């Protein structure tokens, strides 16, 4: 893998404390974001069963906590940001699902030593926590796998280098003009976005081969998807007058296309379902 920037846990926690409710709102911010949310939720429904004990790692304000509760899961909520955890409590309570939360605590996914090995049926790490830990991603994934039961599933998503270039091309061109060609060449080479050139938002984006290499040795990838494809280009390309029936048809196209092997790099995120080593329980995927 390319050389990756150092994970600064205190900085990331403070950033998301300040980011606040924008982390909740971003899932409705564009057609691509709405498609991405839908495909993330459908991956949950594919692998989470009623009664499962699920770790929602990097849970943020609770969008996926609520969806897990709707599936009948018991949810252990963790996030590096105390501010996001408080927002999670507020939003999940307002939605009427806080009784599904069995614990809510500050967690750094690079060190889950307070959690027992094999404790969870499913571990969910959606929205990019593995991107935010940057050079800590291998340790973080090892920890997420460790706390998952043998034959259980780790469901994760990371930011996509190529998909982000496609989705945010006007910003890419602007940064090229402001910082020069070496800046964009560096992003393409490493996937690194720095806080000083990215409005304080630092992360490591991935290409599909890098995701596959990160997962190697931790189990079997049983599902993979881009977060969006048709809607991940310029927002102006999506008709603004879609009927509900047309929107559902567009979602069905995205569902089909996003799991094509040649498309995995082209969305804003890359989604993965990883089955941990060990015999799966009878009747489980």
């Amino acid at each position: 893998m390319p050389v990756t920037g150092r994970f600064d846990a205190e900085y990331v926690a403070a950033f998301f404390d300040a980011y606040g409710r924008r982390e909740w709102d971003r899932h409705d911010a564009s057609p691509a974001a709405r498609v991405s949310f839908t495909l993330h939720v459908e991956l949950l429904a594919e692998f989470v069963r009623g009664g499962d004990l699920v770790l929602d790692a990097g849970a943020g304000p609770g969008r996926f906590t609520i969806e897990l509760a709707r599936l009948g899961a018991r949810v252990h909520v963790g996030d590096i940001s105390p501010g996001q955890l408080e927002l999670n409590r507020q939003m999940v309570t307002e939605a009427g699902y806080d009784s599904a939360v069995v614990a809510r605590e500050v967690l750094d996914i690079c060190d889950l030593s307070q959690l027992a090995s094999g404790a969870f049926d499913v571990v969910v790490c959606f929205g990019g926590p593995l991107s935010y830990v940057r050079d800590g991603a291998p340790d973080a994934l090892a920890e997420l796998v460790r706390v998952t039961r043998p034959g259980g599933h780790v469901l994760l998503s990371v930011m996509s280098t190529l998909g982000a270039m496609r989705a945010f091309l006007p910003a890419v061109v602007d940064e090229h003009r402001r910082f020069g060609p070496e800046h964009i060449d560096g992003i393409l080479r490493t996937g690194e976005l720095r806080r000083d050139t990215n409005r304080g938002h630092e992360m490591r984006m991935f290409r599909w081969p890098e995701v596959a290499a990160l997962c190697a040795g931790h189990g079997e990838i049983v599902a993979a998807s881009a977060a969006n494809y048709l809607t991940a280009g310029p927002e102006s390309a999506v008709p603004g007058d879609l009927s509900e029936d047309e929107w559902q048809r567009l979602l069905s196209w995205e569902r089909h296309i996003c799991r094509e092997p040649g498309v995995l790099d082209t969305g804003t995120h890359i989604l993965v379902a990883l089955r941990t080593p060990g015999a799966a329980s009878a009747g489980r995927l």
Side-chain angles (χ1 to χ4, degrees):
M1 287 189 180
V3 175
T4 306
R6 183 179 64 86
F7 171 43
D8 185 338
E10 289 186 6
Y11 180 85
V12 172
F15 179 89
F16 280 100
D17 281 348
Y19 203 65
R21 187 173 171 131
R22 283 177 289 174
E23 181 63 15
W24 173 273
D25 294 338
R26 70 178 180 84
H27 295 285
D28 298 316
S30 68
R34 294 196 294 275
V35 169
S36 175
F37 181 72
T38 298
L39 295 189
H40 278 77
V41 169
E42 290 179 354
L43 195 67
L44 294 180
E46 193 171 340
F47 292 98
V48 175
R49 298 291 179 266
D52 280 351
L53 180 60
V54 178
L55 174 63
D56 190 0
R63 285 278 196 167
F64 298 115
T65 308
I66 291 168
E67 298 302 326
L68 288 165
R70 285 176 174 153
L71 292 169
R74 296 169 294 134
V75 190
H76 188 122
V77 172
D79 200 280
I80 199 168
S81 160
Q84 289 293 321
L85 280 177
E86 183 53 39
L87 192 56
N88 183 290
R89 185 187 308 277
Q90 174 189 332
M91 303 305 286
V92 175
T93 298
E94 287 180 5
Y97 288 105
D98 204 52
S99 62
V101 176
V102 300
R104 189 178 274 113
E105 63 179 317
V106 174
L107 286 178
D108 177 345
I109 60 171
C110 292
D111 179 7
L112 300 175
S113 55
Q114 67 266 55
L115 302 177
S117 297
F120 299 95
D121 298 296
V122 181
V123 168
V124 176
C125 191
F126 276 171
L130 284 171
S131 285
Y132 293 119
V133 299
R134 303 172 81 195
D135 66 344
D139 290 338
L141 182 57
E143 280 288 83
L144 296 171
V145 169
R146 179 186 64 78
V147 301
T148 308
R149 66 168 175 82
H153 292 91
V154 178
L155 310 180
L156 60 92
S157 62
V158 296
M159 281 70 162
S160 167
T161 304
L162 302 184
M165 296 284 286
R166 176 171 179 252
F168 303 106
L169 183 58
V172 171
V173 172
D174 178 64
E175 289 192 14
H176 167 78
R177 291 169 175 166
R178 291 169 60 202
F179 305 116
E182 291 185 4
H183 171 73
I184 300 301
D185 289 348
I187 293 173
L188 277 171
R189 186 174 63 255
T190 68
E192 283 284 312
L193 295 179
R194 304 195 317 265
R195 68 181 73 163
D196 59 327
T197 60
N198 195 42
R199 300 174 301 283
H201 205 179
E202 66 181 21
M203 69 181 74
R204 187 305 178 64
M205 303 180 293
F206 289 82
R207 301 183 189 218
W208 170 249
E210 295 166 344
V211 175
L214 182 66
C215 292
H218 289 298
E220 177 188 2
I221 294 175
V222 293
S225 174
N228 30 48
Y229 173 71
L230 297 173
T231 53
E235 188 170 343
S236 60
V238 181
D241 58 350
L242 291 177
S243 68
E244 179 59 26
D245 181 68
E246 289 169 331
W247 174 252
Q248 292 302 322
R249 181 63 61 182
L250 177 58
L251 279 175
S252 74
W253 296 339
E254 289 275 43
R255 245 180 235 115
H256 175 76
I257 293 169
C258 285
R259 292 205 181 189
E260 292 285 340
V263 174
L264 297 178
D265 268 314
T266 62
T268 53
H269 294 70
I270 300 170
L271 286 72
V272 170
L274 179 70
R275 183 164 57 218
T276 62
S281 299
R284 298 298 298 266
L285 292 170

